[in-house]
Amino acid sequence: MSIRLLLESFLGLMKESGELDKLLPLLVTSMGHDIPFSAQKGIREYGIDVVSVGKDPEDGRRKIFYWLIKCGDIGRAEWNLTNQSIRQSIDDAGDTFLSTNVLPQHKKLSKKLVILTNGIFKTEIRQTLSQYLEKWNRTNKAESLIVNGSLLASWTEKYLFDENILPPEHRTLFRRVLANIANPELSVPVGRQLIKGILESPQPSGLQTQKQTKRRLSSFRAVRTALTVIFQWSINEGGLETIRQLSEFAVLESWAQIQNDLEELDKAISEEFAELQYQMLSVGQSYFTKIHPYLVIKDALSLQAGDALVTNTLTFREIGQLGLHGVTWGFFATEATGDVSILATQWTLICSNLISKILQTHEGSQSPAFDYQAVEIHCGLLCLMITGKRNDAAMWVTNIIGRLGFIVKDKKKFWPMVAQFEEVLETRNSSSPPNPEFLDVSSLIPILALWCAVLDIDESYQVIRQRILPSMPDLSLNIWSSDQDFDGIISDQAKLHESGFGQVLSGVPETASQLLSILKKEAEEIPSLDKFSWYRNRVPMIPLLAALHWKLQIPKQMLVEHISAFQLSKGAG
């Protein structure tokens, strides 16, 4: 199927509010237009949804465009028989909007009304509409244009998926993602290849040229558009796992591309990166809404997964995702103002409440099966703490450590292992002891030990010191520090895995606070936080997202910063 037909099918599925009205500004901007106005919810805008200024694609002349967005096929009912009829909107635009909402610098420009739908204009109203618009044009000294789903798809392909940004090989990848949308194992690797291919371009040195800026902007917008199509396709196919992973990867890859040039970046590119972050959070909203029943009903994830180990991975994955999104929303709540801050605060609390609910409804949340789940636990704890759920956090850490203390003697096959899923599954179903290599490293124990300091649960810390570690004398307690290349390689799992500095702790001191003091000491070869672009530019989600996405470790620099911040907060309280 051609890209245009795919786009026409996709656009036809979009709702007017929250979907089509979000795509149009992206499309119009890609056409080279400025947008001095877009409609706000709850405010009467006299029929007009977007106002743009730019060249007319029909004759190339600079004009001011008034966009009226409708959804679906347009017949007699939609034309003149409803409260939100097209005729009423056009009348409102002519009577009020065109004369009162024009900036001084645009008053000499020709005016053009665009009536746009993602469906068709039915035969029954074409003549009526044509005659009406001819009269309206004369009365208002303006032009008009009707845009159906086919023309909208054509514009989307031309301006958002042009041949430079989406050459034939990328179009093939795009189609493969959509064809395999229900199978993340097939679609996600292809989707990553597509996103990387679109975003890759020569990195400018010094100030960017206008051409380089335009190309990078086009690349970012093409990725956002592709993800929007994939998102809608995913919703219709009933599964959101592919788009969840690809929206995460898009943030990582785009950050790797721009992190070196932030000081010289055009503001529009920074805004596009912010839009990719919000797109990831929007996918999360849909994802968490969909799985909500499985999180709040007792052991419901096990009904979905069947196998106990699959249930375990799902449980901790959802906790980690909720933690990441909750912390990111929390950051935006403090940085933004108005409605955005209110929305961000609401979603921070939603994520935190769902984590608490999972801890109550899913017994397996107290027993990690893999060492990489340390990151998911840490993200969950961060979210609980920033929303004041200290007791829930303390109980969770206490329960995890207590269970580890119980299994460490003669049930080591249930220890959180450094192994693949199939290896852990085989180990748990075998009567033989676990492979020692699966038990020789732990990044989970140091993280739990540090949280004991924040949560004042010394009894649990002593379980680690006096029961767990003596029973596992060959266990290496691993802490990982990122090196200075971290920001530029976060979208490459192999490079990220090979980078940085590993530190093995020789046991733990008498108290958790002493452990924190030890880890605070900076080794000469380990870069401090201010060496990292994500820290200097206040994008704290980046290390957490990379660790979760690739199932790798959180940099020690960030881990210590988190624990230290909560320690200071505790002291201040």
Side-chain angles (χ1 to χ4, degrees), residues 108-137:
K108 293 184 179 180
L109 294 177
S110 299
K111 301 171 185 176
K112 190 161 189 173
L113 175 70
V114 183
I115 304 106
L116 178 148
T117 182
N118 56 350
I120 63 169
F121 291 87
K122 294 180 180 179
T123 305
E124 63 192 50
I125 66 148
R126 287 179 188 170
Q127 184 175 356
T128 301
L129 180 58
S130 176
Q131 292 174 345
Y132 182 85
L133 287 176
E134 281 185 21
K135 181 179 178 181
W136 186 91
N137 291 347

Side-chain angles (χ1 to χ4, degrees), residues 81-102:
L81 298 180
T82 66
N83 293 333
Q84 299 293 323
S85 70
I86 293 177
R87 178 169 180 169
Q88 182 63 53
S89 295
I90 295 174
D91 287 342
D92 286 346
D95 294 342
T96 305
F97 198 93
L98 268 67
S99 58
T100 61
N101 289 270
V102 181

Side-chain angles (χ1 to χ4, degrees), residues 30-320:
S30 296
M31 294 168 73
H33 289 211
D34 297 321
I35 300 180
F37 166 87
S38 59
Q40 300 177 41
K41 283 187 178 181
I43 300 176
R44 180 168 171 77
E45 304 294 4
Y46 302 100
I48 299 301
D49 296 287
V50 175
V51 175
S52 70
V53 177
K55 289 183 178 180
D56 190 331
E58 292 192 314
D59 60 20
R61 291 171 53 211
R62 183 172 167 82
K63 300 174 184 177
I64 182 167
F65 291 81
Y66 299 89
W67 301 80
L68 193 163
I69 304 172
K70 295 297 177 181
C71 186
D73 296 342
I74 307 299
R76 292 196 182 280
E78 292 78 17
W79 167 242
N80 198 28
L81 298 180
T82 66
N83 293 333
Q84 299 293 323
S85 70
I86 293 177
R87 178 169 180 169
Q88 182 63 53
S89 295
I90 295 174
D91 287 342
D92 286 346
D95 294 342
T96 305
F97 198 93
L98 268 67
S99 58
T100 61
N101 289 270
V102 181
L103 297 176
Q105 62 268 35
H106 298 147
K107 285 192 173 182
K108 293 184 179 180
L109 294 177
S110 299
K111 301 171 185 176
K112 190 161 189 173
L113 175 70
V114 183
I115 304 106
L116 178 148
T117 182
N118 56 350
I120 63 169
F121 291 87
K122 294 180 180 179
T123 305
E124 63 192 50
I125 66 148
R126 287 179 188 170
Q127 184 175 356
T128 301
L129 180 58
S130 176
Q131 292 174 345
Y132 182 85
L133 287 176
E134 281 185 21
K135 181 179 178 181
W136 186 91
N137 291 347
R138 290 193 300 271
T139 302
N140 294 281
K141 297 179 181 179
E143 304 172 54
S144 59
L145 174 70
I146 58 173
V147 177
N148 60 16
S150 179
L151 182 55
L152 178 60
S154 175
W155 282 358
T156 302
E157 181 184 30
K158 179 178 180 180
Y159 295 107
L160 287 172
F161 286 142
D162 67 60
E163 288 292 335
N164 291 322
I165 298 302
L166 209 69
E169 60 269 26
H170 291 167
R171 293 171 181 240
T172 299
L173 294 174
F174 186 45
R175 284 191 287 265
R176 284 175 59 193
V177 173
L178 297 179
N180 295 291
I181 202 84
N183 190 339
E185 292 182 354
L186 295 176
S187 58
V188 170
V190 176
R192 287 176 180 150
Q193 188 180 349
L194 171 66
I195 292 167
K196 194 172 185 69
I198 294 174
L199 289 175
E200 275 185 343
S201 59
Q203 293 298 314
S205 56
L207 293 175
Q208 292 179 302
T209 65
Q210 187 176 1
K211 187 175 181 181
Q212 288 169 326
T213 299
K214 184 178 179 181
R215 176 168 177 78
R216 181 166 267 174
L217 266 175
S218 297
S219 297
F220 272 63
R221 288 166 180 161
V223 167
R224 270 214 291 146
T225 305
L227 288 176
T228 302
V229 175
I230 294 168
F231 189 14
Q232 188 67 50
W233 221 265
S234 298
I235 291 172
N236 291 310
E237 291 292 324
L240 296 173
E241 183 58 23
T242 292
I243 185 59
R244 184 188 68 77
Q245 293 190 45
L246 291 183
S247 64
E248 290 181 356
F249 181 77
V251 172
L252 294 175
E253 178 63 28
S254 59
W255 178 255
Q257 294 282 345
I258 68 172
Q259 53 84 28
N260 238 1
D261 309 304
L262 287 175
E263 288 75 15
E264 294 91 19
L265 275 182
D266 188 278
K267 182 183 177 183
I269 295 177
S270 298
E271 290 173 350
E272 283 298 321
F273 175 69
E275 288 294 339
L276 283 173
Q277 294 179 73
Y278 280 115
Q279 190 169 37
M280 186 195 84
L281 292 172
S282 297
V283 170
Q285 289 176 314
S286 296
Y287 180 78
F288 299 137
T289 300
K290 180 179 180 180
I291 67 170
H292 181 273
Y294 295 101
L295 305 182
V296 300
I297 298 173
K298 187 169 179 60
D299 296 324
L301 283 175
S302 64
L303 300 176
Q304 175 75 3
D307 180 80
L309 192 59
V310 175
T311 302
N312 181 278
T313 59
L314 286 177
T315 301
F316 280 95
R317 186 188 74 181
E318 307 314 346
I319 290 173

Side-chain angles (χ1 to χ4, degrees), residues 366-568:
Q366 318 297 312
S367 301
F370 298 87
D371 186 66
Y372 72 77
Q373 290 170 336
V375 179
E376 295 163 342
I377 291 170
H378 182 72
C379 288
L381 288 168
L382 286 176
C383 188
L384 291 174
M385 291 294 286
I386 66 172
T387 53
K389 294 180 178 290
R390 182 186 182 88
N391 290 340
D392 287 359
M395 181 63 71
W396 188 25
V397 173
T398 298
N399 288 344
I400 291 175
I401 293 174
R403 295 198 180 195
L404 294 178
F406 172 73
I407 67 175
V408 79
K409 286 292 184 183
D410 54 5
K411 297 182 181 292
K412 288 183 181 176
K413 67 179 181 179
F414 296 107
W415 180 262
M417 298 182 191
V418 181
Q420 298 298 316
F421 180 89
E422 294 77 10
E423 294 170 328
V424 174
L425 183 63
E426 183 180 352
T427 298
R428 290 192 168 201
N429 291 327
S430 173
S431 57
S432 303
N435 184 334
E437 292 182 0
F438 298 166
L439 309 175
D440 61 0
V441 176
S442 177
S443 62
L444 173 62
I445 293 299
I447 286 180
L448 292 175
L450 285 170
W451 275 103
C452 287
V454 174
L455 298 168
D456 291 325
I457 44 178
D458 184 64
E459 186 176 337
S460 293
Y461 182 78
Q462 297 309 322
V463 171
I464 292 174
R465 284 189 68 241
Q466 299 172 12
R467 189 186 308 170
I468 295 176
L469 295 183
S471 299
M472 301 191 72
D474 297 326
L475 184 67
S476 296
L477 304 182
N478 184 264
I479 295 284
W480 178 79
S481 301
S482 52
D483 58 28
Q484 210 154 327
D485 295 332
F486 177 76
D487 286 286
I489 61 174
I490 55 167
S491 61
D492 190 316
Q493 184 181 28
K495 289 182 179 178
L496 200 57
H497 181 72
E498 295 169 0
S499 70
F501 309 90
Q503 178 182 354
V504 177
L505 303 178
S506 56
V508 295
E510 289 187 9
T511 68
S513 296
Q514 289 174 340
L515 175 62
L516 178 58
S517 298
I518 291 171
L519 292 178
K520 276 185 176 181
K521 294 178 181 176
E522 295 183 359
E524 195 171 309
E525 70 274 12
I526 296 177
S528 58
L529 275 175
D530 59 9
K531 301 295 184 185
F532 297 102
S533 183
W534 67 262
Y535 183 79
R536 294 194 307 272
N537 293 285
R538 297 177 60 77
V539 193
M541 70 181 294
I542 291 296
L544 293 175
L545 175 59
L548 278 175
H549 189 80
W550 299 121
K551 294 183 171 61
L552 297 174
Q553 289 179 257
I554 302 170
K556 185 191 86 168
Q557 299 98 318
M558 178 179 234
L559 184 61
V560 170
E561 181 81 358
H562 287 160
I563 301 300
S564 299
F566 285 122
Q567 280 286 79
L568 288 172

